[in-house]
Each structure stands twice: as C-alpha cells, then as structure tokens.
Amino acid sequence: ELENQLMAKSKTLDELKQSLASSGSAEQTLEAQSLRIAELCEMKDSIVNQVAQLKASMESILDQWRAYDEIYAEVSLMTTRYLYCIDQCKPSGEEASLEALKKQVKTLQ
C-alpha cells in the first residue's frame, strides 16, 4: 500500500517538474519551485529506502516467528509426552519399592 502511494507521489512530482519546465513563470519562482521539487524528490527517495528496509526487517521478523512457532509446537509435544510418561510411571496405590519399580520397567518395555 505504501509502495503504491509512493509511486503515485513520484508521478505527481514528475508531472510538476514537467509543468514547471514548460511554463513561462518568473525566473525566481521557477528556481524556488525547482529547489522545492528537488527537496521533495530527496524526501521521496528517503521514504522509498525506509520502506524497503522496513519490508526486509518485517520479513526477517516473520521468519523468526515461524521458527518460534515450529519449535514451540515441538516442545509442547515433547512436554505432553513426558507428562504422560510420568503419569504412567506413578506407583498406583502401592509403596514405591524396588520390586514395584522393576515391574513397572518391565511393563513399559
């Protein structure tokens, strides 16, 4: 959207340059307007550069968020698996003796 607006402003500046070049205005006014047009062109170029930098920065940030989402999904799945394993390994009502733990290990294997 910003890029479209910048292109429209560029076109307007170009039209203004052409109209100034073809008009028969006073020399001082023409010089002042030419200087102002040059300033506006510099400002437009600066904004175009800023938009390009912002676009690159946003793409980088989006890539980082995608990587975060993937890693978060993996960690969440592993956490769920570990919680399930811990829940399955709890002694069910009997004392946590060595024999009971050996039976649980054999069951899990």
Side-chain angles (χ1 to χ4, degrees):
E1 188 177 328
L2 283 175
E3 291 173 338
N4 291 336
Q5 289 176 358
L6 286 173
M7 288 177 17
K9 297 296 180 187
S10 294
K11 186 177 178 182
T12 304
L13 283 173
D14 291 339
E15 290 172 359
L16 186 57
K17 280 182 187 178
Q18 289 175 356
S19 69
L20 283 176
S22 64
S23 70
S25 301
E27 194 171 302
Q28 287 181 339
T29 306
L30 195 60
E31 283 183 34
Q33 289 176 345
S34 293
L35 289 173
R36 182 67 182 145
I37 289 173
E39 288 175 17
L40 291 173
C41 288
E42 287 177 23
M43 291 169 64
K44 179 204 57 118
D45 291 341
S46 173
I47 291 171
V48 167
N49 289 336
Q50 289 175 5
V51 168
Q53 290 174 353
L54 180 62
K55 189 175 180 181
S57 176
M58 291 302 293
E59 288 174 3
S60 172
I61 290 169
L62 283 173
D63 289 341
Q64 291 174 2
W65 273 109
R66 283 187 202 105
Y68 169 82
D69 285 340
E70 290 174 10
I71 293 169
Y72 179 81
E74 289 178 31
V75 169
S76 180
L77 180 63
M78 287 191 289
T79 302
T80 303
R81 286 180 180 165
Y82 291 136
L83 290 173
Y84 175 79
C85 288
I86 289 171
D87 188 49
Q88 293 300 312
C89 293
K90 285 183 184 174
S92 55
E94 55 185 69
E95 190 176 319
S97 66
L98 183 58
E99 289 300 319
L101 291 175
K102 286 180 182 178
K103 286 181 187 177
Q104 286 180 352
V105 168
K106 286 181 183 178
T107 303
L108 290 174
Q109 288 176 345

